[in-house]
Every structure is written in C-alpha cells, then in structure tokens.
C-alpha cells in the first residue's frame, strides 16, 4: 500500500495511526504489533531505565522490520542516557513530550531522526514550529495520564493548532474508533495518536486487572486531578478518593507529592492494584468493552473509518 498522506510518508507507514508511548503499557510487544499491522508503534521510555529501553529496542527490532519509534518525556531524569541509546541503536523516530521541543530536536535531526512533539495548547504548538519539529501531536484533555493545564478538548484544540501550524498535525485524546479518526480528519488532522485503545489490547504490558477494570468503566468514571502537581486523568478508585479528600481540605503541593509517593502508576497499571494504584486511562475507555489483539483493533479501525466515510451524508 502506498502512503497516502504526509504522516504516512513521514514515518513510512501504511495507516496514519500512531500508538501512544504510554508508561507501563508500551513495551516491545505492543509497539512491534502496531507497526506490523501498518501503524506506528512507540516504546514508552517514561517508565524504563536506560538498560530496559535498550532491551526493548533490540527486541522490537527483532519482532518487526517496519518503522517504530520511542516516546521520550523530556523531564526524564536520565535523559542524556536515553537519547544516547536511541541514537546509537539507530532508532529513526522519536516523539518528545513534557518539555521544550527545542531541547533535543536539532540534535536528533543531525542524526537523521524524525521528531514529533506532543502539545496541549496552541502556544506550545507554535514553539514546535519554531523548533523545526517534523510533526505535532495535539492532545485534548480527554486523554489519559498527564494533561495540559488548559483543559482544552480535542475538538477545540485541533482546528486551533491547524490554523497556526504548517507541519503534519496528529490528533490525540478521546479517539478510539474509525469514526473518531474521520472526525479528527475533518477538523484538520492528518493522523491520530491513540493511547487508551492500544493500552487495552492483549499485547499491552499493562496488568490484566488494570485492563479488566478499564473495560468496565462507565461515563464519568475518570477525572482530571492532581492539578497542583501535574494534571492527570485517573480512574476514580480508593487512591483517587484520598486525592479528592486532600484537595478539598486545601492540602499543599508538598502534601500531595507525599501522598502520590513513588511508583504509584507502576502499582496501578503494571502491577494491577486497582484500589491503591494510580490508574491512568482516557475518557474514551468507557466506549470499550472487549480485550482485543492489536491486529483486530487495527482492522476494525480501518474498516469502520472506511464505512463511516462512505456513508457520510451532507447536512446542507
């Protein structure tokens, strides 16, 4: 299949569908499965020590001959080591987030690496253009995990970013279906990044108990919280109730950090503690009920997109 738009051409993929590089979900099994199915798989470096990332890159290379990339939060404490591994291992695609796009883009470009940066506002999208990134991921506040402070929805964010940017635009946040891909395209996106949909597949490295809980969520069962520290969308569980109580009595940022502690996301997502763990997932999880393979998901997304596009009727 010949690439049909700028996102496909940029990354050398069949479908402009990118799997988000999520902490504790995005190991080599998930990334390689998405790439083998025609999308772009990303390893989630945010929950990996450097030696762990090296292992996952090499296993991903062995599992797919298709392009794959690495998502790197720029607040990562061992960032230099992570970037050295990415460069030395010949990874050709990097998605950066949680920091300035100017910090690493030029260095990565000098090594022949394509760079996309994740933003939650038009202000940061403009900085991406200035930094010379190859693509922008604009993520609305429907998304799971860490979010922007603006709390801008995907439907508002995508057309706003489209107006000021010239590079390929990838929509993220709340997109889990072929119909959602079509809607994002109508707003100006040339591709989509999906986290929640791929976090809840068989190949995701998240714990089964986490996946099972997410697939039983109802509308309103996630909430954006921890705004004093870094806004994060979580499932309402016992840990969230502790956060809610602390926030309601005006707890300080230091108190919130102590409550959060270390390893809370690993406890919830990777170890499956659905009561006391930090359970990060997007709003759209409530639309999903079945644990599928990546191949099943990709085929469904493509088929549903094509059906929705074929049956779209003019309103005027």
């Amino acid at each position: 299949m010949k690439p049909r738009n700028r996102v496909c051409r940029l990354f050398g993929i069949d479908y402009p569908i990118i799997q988000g590089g999520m902490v504790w979900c995005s190991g080599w099994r998930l990334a390689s499965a998405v790439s083998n199915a025609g999308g772009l798989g990303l390893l989630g470096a945010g929950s990996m020590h450097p030696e762990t990332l090296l292992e996952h890159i090499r296993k991903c290379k062995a599992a797919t001959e298709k392009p794959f990339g690495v998502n790197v939060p720029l607040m990562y404490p061992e960032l230099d080591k992570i970037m050295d591994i990415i460069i030395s291992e010949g990874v050709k695609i990097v998605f950066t987030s949680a920091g300035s796009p100017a910090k690493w883009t030029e260095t990565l470009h000098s090594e022949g690496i394509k760079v996309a940066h994740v933003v939650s506002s038009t202000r940061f999208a403009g900085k991406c253009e200035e930094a010379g990134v190859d693509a922008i991921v604009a993520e609305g506040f429907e998304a799971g995990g860490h979010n922007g402070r603006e709390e801008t929805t995907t439907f508002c964010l995508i057309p706003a970013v489209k107006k000021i940017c010239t590079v390929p635009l990838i929509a993220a946040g709340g997109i889990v279906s072929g119909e959602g891909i079509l809607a994002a395209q109508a707003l100006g996106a040339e591709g989509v990044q999906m986290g929640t949909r791929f976090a809840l597949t068989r190949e995701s490295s998240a714990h089964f108990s986490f996946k099972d809980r997410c697939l039983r969520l109802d509308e309103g069962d996630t909430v954006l919280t921890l705004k004093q520290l870094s806004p994060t969308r979580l499932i309402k569980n016992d840990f969230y109730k502790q956060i809610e109580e602390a926030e309601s009595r005006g707890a300080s940022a230091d108190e919130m950090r102590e409550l959060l502690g270390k390893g809370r996301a690993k406890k919830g997502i990777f170890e499956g503690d659905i009561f006391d763990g930090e359970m990060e997932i997007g709003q759209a999880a409530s639309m999903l009920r079945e644990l599928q393979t990546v191949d099943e998901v990709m085929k469904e997304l493509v088929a549903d997109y094509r059906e929705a596009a074929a049956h779209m009727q003019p309103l005027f």
Side-chain angles (χ1 to χ4, degrees):
M1 178 182 295
K2 293 182 179 179
R4 289 168 292 183
N5 71 10
R6 290 196 295 170
V7 170
C8 290
R9 291 196 297 271
L10 177 64
F11 299 128
I13 56 181
D14 295 331
Y15 305 112
I17 299 172
I18 292 94
Q19 161 247 313
M22 304 160 285
V23 295
W24 305 115
C25 296
S26 305
W28 69 270
R29 288 183 179 86
L30 179 58
S32 62
V34 173
S35 291
N36 282 332
L40 179 66
L42 297 179
L43 297 172
S47 53
M48 297 183 184
H49 293 296
E51 62 273 15
T52 306
L53 176 62
L54 177 61
E55 176 187 351
H56 279 259
I57 288 173
R58 291 180 175 176
K59 286 184 175 179
C60 205
K61 285 179 181 178
T64 184
E65 296 180 353
K66 301 288 186 69
F68 71 91
V70 179
N71 174 269
V72 183
L74 296 177
M75 60 183 179
Y76 191 92
E78 297 181 281
L79 187 57
D80 288 350
K81 291 181 181 179
I82 288 291
M83 291 301 193
D84 285 346
I85 288 170
I86 287 170
I87 292 168
S88 64
E89 286 297 306
V91 175
K92 292 303 179 185
I93 300 167
V94 170
F95 279 50
T96 54
S97 59
S100 170
K103 189 170 184 179
W104 278 92
T105 296
E106 186 176 348
T107 300
L108 294 171
H109 277 169
S110 70
E111 299 291 340
I113 297 171
K114 302 294 185 184
V115 180
H117 191 76
V118 183
V119 301
S120 59
S121 69
T122 53
R123 181 166 68 92
F124 285 110
K127 291 184 181 297
C128 287
E129 285 268 320
E130 293 171 9
V133 302
D134 299 289
I136 294 172
V137 180
E139 184 177 76
F141 108 123
E142 300 95 325
H146 293 280
N147 265 278
R149 295 189 178 279
E150 300 81 6
E151 299 189 21
T152 305
T153 65
T154 302
F155 258 45
C156 293
L157 183 61
I158 298 305
V161 172
K162 182 66 176 179
K163 285 183 180 179
I164 66 167
C165 293
T166 60
V167 299
L169 175 58
I170 298 164
I175 303 167
V176 293
S177 66
E179 293 88 348
I181 297 172
L182 184 62
Q185 182 184 9
L187 292 173
E190 295 180 58
V192 296
Q193 177 175 285
M194 295 184 177
T196 293
R197 187 70 196 264
F198 289 115
L200 305 181
T201 58
R202 294 188 182 278
E203 291 89 344
S204 161
S205 51
H207 195 281
F208 174 80
S209 295
F210 171 80
K211 298 176 190 178
D212 181 64
R213 179 70 187 98
C214 291
L215 290 168
R216 292 185 289 108
L217 293 175
D218 293 323
E219 182 181 340
D221 281 348
T222 68
V223 64
L224 195 65
T225 188
L226 289 169
K227 296 179 184 180
Q228 283 180 279
L229 305 179
S230 176
T232 309
R233 182 168 297 282
L234 302 178
I235 293 172
K236 294 177 181 178
N237 63 355
D238 291 349
F239 170 59
Y240 164 71
K241 291 176 183 176
Q242 295 177 53
I243 295 173
E244 185 180 37
E245 186 277 329
E247 290 181 334
S248 67
R249 61 176 168 80
S252 67
D254 286 340
E255 288 180 89
M256 297 303 294
R257 288 190 190 93
E258 185 176 351
L259 174 60
L260 183 60
K262 292 185 178 180
R264 185 77 76 161
K266 180 181 181 182
K267 187 175 184 179
I269 300 170
F270 192 69
E271 297 175 356
D273 187 337
I274 64 172
F275 301 104
D276 292 321
E278 184 178 342
M279 304 274 283
E280 302 178 7
I281 202 70
Q283 278 186 333
S286 63
M287 299 167 62
L288 305 173
R289 287 292 180 264
E290 183 182 0
L291 184 63
Q292 297 174 294
T293 66
V294 164
D295 191 59
E296 289 170 339
V297 167
M298 288 291 291
K299 287 177 179 175
E300 184 178 296
L301 291 172
V302 172
D304 288 353
Y305 170 86
R306 289 173 173 166
E307 183 177 358
H311 290 87
M312 184 67 69
Q313 297 293 323
L315 296 178
F316 305 103

